[in-house]
Amino acid sequence: MTKQLTIALSKGRIFEETLPLLSAAGIEAAENPEESRKLIIGTNHDNIRLVIVRATDVPTYVQYGAADFGIAGKDVLIEHGGDGLYQPLDLKIAKCRMMVAVRKGFDYAAAVKPGSRLRVASKYPNIAAEHFASKGVHIDLIKLYGSMELAPLVGLSDAIVDLVSTGNTLKANNLEAVEHIADISSRLVVNKAALKLKYDTIQPIIDVFAEATAQSAS
Ligand code: PRT
Ligand code: MG
């Protein structure tokens, strides 16, 4: 008997970069989630479906078994904590860097002397807190849900912790990156119980993803 398989994906860059991987595993989405309003999308396999969720919600769906596996950015996984998730593969897609950025001309070196205090805005409170704690810098953390780049421009914070890929957003807003925290890419996240129960369905897909990822890296 073929077992039902549910895959959690977010729209946008992760979905786009995941399509070739799904294709390599012989899985084709029946609809384009960018155009469809449907949150559950069928595939060319009766037993495989995609659920379209916010990028930050992918680990949660997989953790509770509402999806058997999914694809999530390392940024999201660090913040989530990764509880109950098996992370077998770095898919090397949706690559970017977690950076500290400030307004151009802001004296960052002076602001992060040990013992000093800095106002930091971020969608990533755990990553930001850990980074500055390791430097011995006290921060007041301001949690935002998007458009972090605005915060230093209007005096909400001294610095931001955010993702940078081309650097165009920083540039357009007169900001500069002053510190590199981590390289980020997207990972396959698998529900541990699902992997045991549906091993024959899930493991071959992991194997194909691994092979496709290794090929595109070489
Ligand atoms: O957009 P939405 O609020 O719905 O959700 P999301 O931002 O969580 O999702 P999405 O699809 O934008 O990002 C999903 C994942 O893609 C993230 O979790 C990252 O792992 C990865 N990724 C890769 C990025 C970027 N590159 C990226 N550049 N996520 C966001 N950005 C943003 C960044 O925050 C900044 O505002 O793009 C802007 C900078 O881009 P550049 O090219 O101007 O430097
Ligand atoms: Mg986004």
Side-chain angles (χ1 to χ4, degrees):
M1 205 195 80
T2 43
K3 290 181 180 122
Q4 177 74 41
L5 204 67
T6 302
I7 305 172
L9 294 174
S10 55
K11 284 201 257 190
R13 66 191 106 222
I14 288 186
F15 189 83
E16 272 163 41
E17 296 192 48
T18 298
L19 280 180
L21 295 173
L22 289 174
S23 228
I27 302 166
E28 307 288 346
E31 281 177 77
N32 177 352
E34 309 296 341
E35 286 157 20
S36 168
R37 289 178 178 271
K38 282 193 191 160
L39 299 174
I40 300 179
I41 293 186
T43 69
N44 55 332
H45 297 263
D46 286 342
N47 65 318
I48 304 179
R49 62 183 185 171
L50 311 177
V51 292
I52 307 301
V53 304
R54 285 294 290 265
T56 41
D57 291 334
V58 167
T60 308
Y61 277 80
V62 175
Q63 174 186 9
Y64 288 99
D68 298 299
F69 68 84
I71 294 175
K74 185 73 186 165
D75 50 321
V76 165
L77 289 167
I78 298 172
E79 280 299 315
H80 173 272
D83 236 27
L85 301 176
Y86 170 52
Q87 299 181 34
L89 266 185
D90 179 354
L91 297 169
K92 311 217 170 87
I93 61 171
K95 283 188 189 169
C96 54
R97 301 171 311 282
M98 185 68 71
M99 309 281 278
V100 181
V102 298
R103 237 176 31 247
K104 266 201 190 115
F106 179 81
D107 191 350
Y108 184 67
V112 294
K113 293 239 164 74
S116 62
R117 203 163 186 102
L118 192 73
R119 275 187 310 160
V120 178
S122 188
K123 182 177 158 182
Y124 305 100
N126 295 332
I127 295 172
E130 194 187 313
H131 174 70
F132 287 103
S134 75
K135 295 163 66 78
V137 175
H138 295 287
I139 61 167
D140 293 313
L141 203 104
I142 300 163
K143 161 85 187 179
L144 292 177
Y145 292 86
S147 301
M148 264 80 79
E149 292 89 352
L150 181 60
L153 304 180
V154 294
L156 180 60
S157 72
D158 303 309
I160 59 172
V161 167
D162 194 10
L163 298 174
V164 178
S165 85
T166 60
N168 289 341
T169 307
L170 293 182
K171 208 173 184 184
N173 291 293
N174 204 34
L175 301 172
E176 62 184 352
V178 286
E179 240 175 336
H180 173 275
I181 299 178
D183 286 325
I184 301 291
S185 55
S186 289
R187 315 292 160 120
L188 186 64
V189 289
V190 185
N191 178 280
K192 286 179 182 165
L195 181 62
K196 282 202 195 111
L197 290 168
K198 306 181 185 179
Y199 186 85
D200 294 347
T201 316
I202 296 176
Q203 190 57 46
I205 298 176
I206 298 178
D207 292 342
V208 171
F209 282 11
E211 201 178 309
T213 304
Q215 265 170 17
S216 66
S218 67

